[in-house]
Amino acid sequence: MSSTPSSLCNSCQAASNLKYCTCGQVVYCSKACQQVDWVRHKQSCPMVVVRVVEGKGKGLVAIRNISAGTVIFTEDPLIIVSKKDEQGVGFEVPGYEEFKKMDQVKKQELMELYDPKEKNTNFDCHEDSEYAKFCRIVTANDISINNKAHPGDVDLGLDVVYKQFSRINHSCCPNSFAECEAGSATHSVRTGKMIKKGQEVTISYLGSKDGTREDRREDLLNTWFFHCTCEVCSLTGEEREENDRVRMMVLTYLMDAGSKDNIIRMMNDKKNITATLRNYLRVLADSYSIEEDRGKRAVMLSICHVLYRQAKRLCGGWVWPSDNDSIMVRMTLQKYLGENFLEELDMLAISAASVLTRYFKANVKWNLGLLTE
């Protein structure tokens, strides 16, 4: 469909009283015509549009409710740059020769992306102003893609810039995830939770990296040239301290169980497995005191399931301790997961991962599969 709307109603072809659809691609003469045409137009009507977002410049905003697990869009890149092409000499960015060969429309689309001109002066030394602008835009908008079919595959080391995906702003509490198709640079954006009409679509630029607010903001400023003011980074006082504490604790425990050798060692440590299980259940409970990170939570649920089943095998059963802290942990988890959650941890993990990327699904599946080895 042309990006320029017709001057006629997309339903009855009337030429007066025309109003745009929210997507801006078609016009209608009445609400009735829009409703009649929706079944047809829905196939091409995007779920999101580029709009100015207060304090962030431009971003992607939902123009209708989008349920969790929905693929919002799939997109091919404007330009692909191999890190192997980097010369490491001065302030240079590879890919400019490929850029000059692009058709005029794609070149314009790339050069209209966010340009941190006032914040990134590293490229001011170049006499070619177009090249300097190209460098600024690519470094501020490119992403390192993970298009491996399996975690053990070789990383091809590709940096990519997209027309639409590169417009998505960061949040330390994102509502969406992104992933590349295996062996491809085609990128998909999938909702991790319900996004309501008018809400901004966000992802995390930090990937598997996390940390305290100070660490996250420093990383974002040095790499993407902005100060993060998301709802998490805007916390103050004790709330911020508690958020930092829980985030770091979750990250530490996930890293401890992140390798096959470590988690198998935990599973086979009969002397300490009940204490290990208690610790992981406590961390899982604490994770409900801050914003939801569905990916980390899905993995944590799968680890707790493996430890619980193994504790029952090695110790002939497992009973909740009666100390006050353990009682509070149990009450918290029952509140969020259900009365009989211990027996359903595997299904809860699979359910949490069902709307996530293939990497989270594979991680959960791999953990649960340890019980059959």
Side-chain angles (χ1 to χ4, degrees):
M1 178 180 292
S2 171
S3 59
T4 303
S6 167
S7 57
L8 300 175
C9 174
N10 206 49
S11 179
C12 72
Q13 305 302 301
S16 60
N17 299 320
L18 300 176
K19 292 184 178 180
Y20 285 105
C21 172
T22 311
C23 68
Q25 293 186 346
V26 296
V27 291
Y28 296 100
C29 67
S30 67
K31 191 71 174 178
C33 274
Q34 185 175 15
Q35 291 173 342
V36 168
D37 191 53
W38 177 239
V39 173
R40 179 168 63 92
H41 178 53
K42 184 178 181 180
Q43 307 307 313
S44 59
C45 184
M47 300 181 205
V48 294
V49 293
V50 176
R51 287 184 179 166
V52 174
V53 179
E54 185 177 358
K56 299 182 181 180
K58 293 181 178 180
L60 291 189
V61 176
I63 59 174
R64 58 179 182 268
N65 293 341
I66 310 174
S67 58
T70 301
V71 175
I72 303 175
F73 65 86
T74 299
E75 181 180 28
D76 290 323
L78 291 171
I79 190 170
I80 303 174
V81 176
S82 174
K83 296 175 187 175
K84 297 176 183 178
D85 295 335
E86 296 183 10
Q87 302 300 314
V89 179
F91 294 106
E92 298 181 358
V93 174
Y96 189 55
E97 293 303 315
E98 288 82 353
F99 168 76
K100 290 191 290 186
K101 298 174 186 176
M102 291 166 56
D103 67 66
Q104 200 60 37
V105 173
K106 285 192 173 183
K107 288 175 70 174
Q108 183 176 345
E109 289 172 344
L110 189 147
M111 297 300 267
E112 288 177 348
L113 292 172
Y114 169 60
D115 178 6
K117 185 176 181 179
E118 306 301 324
K119 300 178 181 179
N120 183 5
T121 59
N122 291 336
F123 306 105
D124 290 354
C125 57
H126 297 294
E127 295 182 1
D128 184 342
S129 60
E130 183 185 64
Y131 176 62
K133 182 177 180 180
F134 168 84
C135 292
R136 292 194 305 269
I137 289 177
V138 169
T139 54
N141 293 277
D142 73 336
I143 62 167
S144 298
I145 61 173
N146 182 352
N147 62 356
K148 298 185 291 185
H150 305 286
D153 291 350
V154 176
D155 186 347
L156 298 180
L158 299 178
D159 280 348
V160 188
V161 179
Y162 298 86
K163 174 187 175 181
Q164 193 170 23
F165 178 75
S166 295
R167 290 286 190 192
I168 301 179
N169 289 315
H170 164 84
S171 172
C172 297
C173 180
N175 54 29
S176 302
F177 298 88
E179 69 174 337
C180 272
E181 296 179 4
S184 168
T186 300
H187 225 90
S188 295
V189 178
R190 182 189 299 271
T191 56
K193 60 183 72 173
M194 172 75 169
I195 300 178
K196 295 182 179 180
K197 179 179 178 180
Q199 285 186 328
E200 184 185 10
V201 175
T202 57
I203 59 171
S204 172
Y205 291 2
L206 298 173
S208 59
K209 293 186 290 184
D210 204 342
T212 64
R213 186 186 77 153
E214 182 179 350
D215 292 337
R216 298 193 310 272
R217 296 183 94 183
E218 181 180 4
D219 196 359
L220 292 166
L221 180 61
N222 291 339
T223 307
W224 289 281
F225 314 105
F226 71 91
H227 287 279
C228 185
T229 57
C230 72
E231 60 183 282
V232 180
C233 287
S234 298
L235 295 174
T236 59
E238 292 182 0
E239 273 191 296
R240 189 181 78 197
E241 292 177 4
E242 177 65 5
N243 189 278
D244 284 348
R245 183 190 71 82
V246 173
R247 275 177 168 261
M248 292 307 299
M249 185 169 59
V250 170
L251 185 63
T252 298
Y253 274 75
L254 287 177
M255 290 176 64
D256 286 346
S259 71
K260 185 174 182 178
D261 288 344
N262 280 358
I263 195 167
I264 288 179
R265 175 183 53 76
M266 293 178 187
M267 291 172 62
N268 292 332
D269 186 356
K270 183 176 180 179
K271 179 180 178 181
N272 294 306
I273 191 168
T274 57
T276 302
L277 172 58
R278 286 179 62 184
N279 288 336
Y280 271 86
L281 289 171
R282 175 176 52 81
V283 174
L284 177 62
D286 279 354
S287 74
Y288 286 93
S289 68
I290 64 172
E291 70 284 348
E292 179 183 24
D293 186 325
R294 193 157 186 161
K296 290 186 178 70
R297 187 166 295 162
V299 177
M300 184 65 73
L301 284 164
S302 68
I303 294 171
C304 288
H305 171 75
V306 168
L307 294 175
Y308 173 62
R309 293 296 179 187
Q310 188 70 354
K312 290 180 70 176
R313 286 180 182 176
L314 295 180
C315 306
W318 190 77
V319 178
W320 273 98
S322 57
D323 60 281
N324 289 337
D325 286 344
S326 296
I327 292 173
M328 291 301 297
V329 166
R330 182 177 185 177
M331 290 174 62
T332 298
L333 293 177
Q334 285 177 330
K335 174 183 176 181
Y336 290 102
L337 300 176
E339 198 72 21
N340 198 37
F341 73 91
L342 274 177
E343 304 302 327
E344 301 168 355
L345 286 168
D346 53 344
M347 292 297 101
L348 290 167
I350 292 171
S351 176
S354 65
V355 299
L356 304 177
T357 65
R358 67 178 181 275
Y359 300 104
F360 285 115
K361 293 175 182 175
N363 199 332
V364 168
K365 183 178 179 181
W366 182 84
N367 284 339
L368 298 180
L370 291 173
L371 291 171
T372 63
E373 293 186 0

